[in-house]
Amino acid sequence: RRLSGLRRRYFTIRAWGSNDDGRLGLRLPHKYSSLPSWFPAWILDDSVLTSYTARKLPDYPISGDDDLSAQVAGPSPANITEDVVDIVCGMAHTIFLTRSGRVYTCGSNRFGQLGLGKVSNFAFFEPQLVASLLHSRIVCAAAGATHSLFVTESGHVYATGSSGYGQLGLGKAPSNALLWSPQLIDAFDDNVQISKVAAGFQFSIAFDQDNGHVYSFGSRAHGCLGHDSGYSNAATARHDPIEWLPRRIRSLDEKKIDDVYAGASNAVAISRETKAVYSWGAGVNYFHAHDDNREIDKAEPSVLAELSGQEIVKVQSSGTHHGALTSDGRLFLWGLSLSGCLATSSFSATKKPVEITELPRVNDFTLGHQFTIAATAEGVLSWGSGQDGALGNGDDRSHSTPVQVKTQESDEGFNAKHVVSGFAHVFALNADK
């Protein structure tokens, strides 16, 4: 029952949105490197030159080292020469996993979250091989705001980045502590084999699917670790505000959990067998969909009643809005209706999950900062804030109804099996036929 991203293969990958700090992995001349990509650019296809030069770059003089044709020609990311099986996005960095189990990273490296060792670069605009993980085959990864987690085929977890709130699970550290290369989390018992990890803003989740156990570590703020109800007085002698080492969420032991997801300061565990979703952590913007419409936090997992009876396969939260996908392709959204991200023109918050009925069957979805992307049976659709080109339709306007994500070269839509996003950058991946 081991979860493994390496069962998938994607032969076409497109990227769009903010490229600040190189989070899209687009190989562009320095003066263009931080410009957003308004249309999806191929990053694993021979048409990369056409895609990039058609992005309506500013009319700067180009000569010498800034020659586009010299620096962009050929597939990109230039450093990845094998099949990509998964992509994971943090707030401002990106992780690429390959079929052989290698890891490449790009984007912001201000906290060591790229795992490239102690280097002078605070940003990498092309994916870089994480050489310190070559000793193991990596099958899963997670990216938080300033930290990253990697799972090996044998079920071990490595962590890198900011560790001041215990989110790396490596033991007590100063508040400003940074780890520049992945280090093994050795606090798990020998019989624990982690199959999936999830990363929030300052906390982490690890899932041992074989035993059905969920672990959490990091900041206890808002009850996001799910251990007990004492978090509100976390600074007292009884409760340390930080869990420095992984700790099992025992209330989930008998819940037949299949999957876990983490938001900025909340999390969920899904049981497909019992058709139940358990949520805990911050209740801001109606994440828990309480019957009384309150936004209170939950320090222990409890059933998210509004989704009971549905076979939920994915839950995600951007912090301001939240989404859930069913096995038969129906998408539910709720939370704050900012910039049209809930596919409604109303500015009122939606306090309970509401199905977006006008969509075709949804294969996957992802939520960014005030925008939503859905990979549907009729192509990739987007709505919400278009800032920095996050909607992939050629402009930066907001849309409260779904619009087609188009390619610049054909002005047509395209299909995808999987979509992922960070704060303002997006990837769409299409599986082999």
Side-chain angles (χ1 to χ4, degrees), residues 109-421:
N109 194 44
R110 287 170 171 79
F111 301 89
Q113 62 265 52
L114 299 190
L116 301 175
K118 183 64 172 170
V119 293
S120 58
N121 302 53
F122 284 143
F124 285 87
F125 287 81
E126 294 180 68
Q128 307 291 312
L129 176 67
V130 183
S132 61
L133 290 174
L134 287 174
H135 56 76
S136 299
R137 190 167 184 247
I138 304 301
V139 298
C140 179
T146 58
H147 72 292
S148 301
L149 304 170
F150 308 95
V151 181
T152 71
E153 191 172 36
S154 58
H156 295 116
V157 182
Y158 287 79
T160 188
S162 175
S163 62
Y165 289 90
Q167 61 264 57
L168 301 190
L170 298 172
K172 197 161 188 176
S175 61
N176 60 349
L178 304 179
L179 186 65
W180 297 91
S181 295
Q183 182 174 324
L184 175 67
I185 301 177
D186 59 7
F188 292 108
D189 292 339
D190 292 341
N191 66 333
V192 173
Q193 288 189 308
I194 299 302
S195 52
K196 183 177 180 179
V197 285
F201 191 70
Q202 294 173 338
F203 77 102
S204 302
I205 302 288
F207 179 40
D208 176 357
Q209 189 176 29
D210 289 342
N211 293 311
H213 295 161
V214 180
Y215 298 80
S216 63
F217 43 99
S219 170
R220 295 167 59 95
H222 303 287
C224 62
L225 299 189
H227 294 309
D228 54 56
S229 58
Y231 82 97
S232 60
N233 295 315
T236 68
R238 181 184 174 190
H239 295 288
D240 191 314
I242 293 173
E243 290 282 353
W244 294 101
L245 298 172
R247 179 181 170 192
R248 200 161 105 206
I249 306 177
R250 295 188 178 274
S251 62
L252 291 173
D253 281 358
E254 306 300 325
K255 305 300 185 184
K256 300 180 180 180
I257 301 303
D258 297 294
D259 213 344
V260 293
Y261 292 91
S265 54
N266 42 40
V268 299
I270 298 173
S271 173
R272 294 181 187 138
E273 182 177 336
T274 63
K275 295 185 178 180
V277 174
Y278 300 88
S279 66
W280 65 94
V284 64
N285 301 323
Y286 310 100
F287 176 70
H288 302 301
H290 290 291
D291 288 337
D292 55 10
N293 293 327
R294 291 188 297 167
E295 299 179 77
I296 59 174
D297 300 342
K298 293 200 305 186
E300 292 181 293
S302 62
V303 172
L304 205 165
E306 290 293 324
L307 294 177
S308 293
Q310 305 279 359
E311 190 173 341
I312 302 297
V313 296
K314 181 177 182 179
V315 176
Q316 194 174 24
S317 173
S318 71
T320 55
H321 70 307
H322 328 291
L325 180 64
T326 66
S327 59
D328 57 356
R330 292 177 294 130
L331 179 62
F332 292 80
L333 296 176
W334 71 101
L336 297 190
S337 182
L338 302 175
S339 303
C341 62
L342 299 184
T344 173
S345 58
S346 171
F347 291 104
S348 299
T350 299
K351 301 176 182 180
K352 303 288 177 64
V354 174
E355 183 180 354
I356 312 303
T357 56
E358 63 266 34
L359 292 176
R361 179 188 175 95
V362 177
N363 299 316
D364 194 16
F365 79 100
T366 186
L367 308 180
H369 180 59
Q370 299 181 21
F371 68 88
T372 305
I373 310 289
T376 77
E378 298 178 10
V380 180
L381 304 177
S382 62
W383 58 94
S385 172
Q387 184 175 354
D388 289 331
L391 299 188
N393 68 328
D395 62 50
D396 61 354
R397 292 178 297 165
S398 295
H399 295 266
S400 60
T401 56
V403 296
Q404 195 89 38
V405 179
K406 300 178 179 179
T407 60
Q408 171 83 4
E409 58 270 20
S410 65
D411 196 37
E412 296 179 354
F414 58 88
N415 292 318
K417 295 293 185 182
H418 183 41
V419 287
V420 294
S421 64

Side-chain angles (χ1 to χ4, degrees), residues 9-13 42 44-45 84 430-433:
R9 176 179 183 265
Y10 298 103
F11 71 96
T12 299
I13 299 175
W42 299 85
L44 286 181
D45 187 272
V84 170
N430 196 14
D432 254 337
K433 297 178 180 179

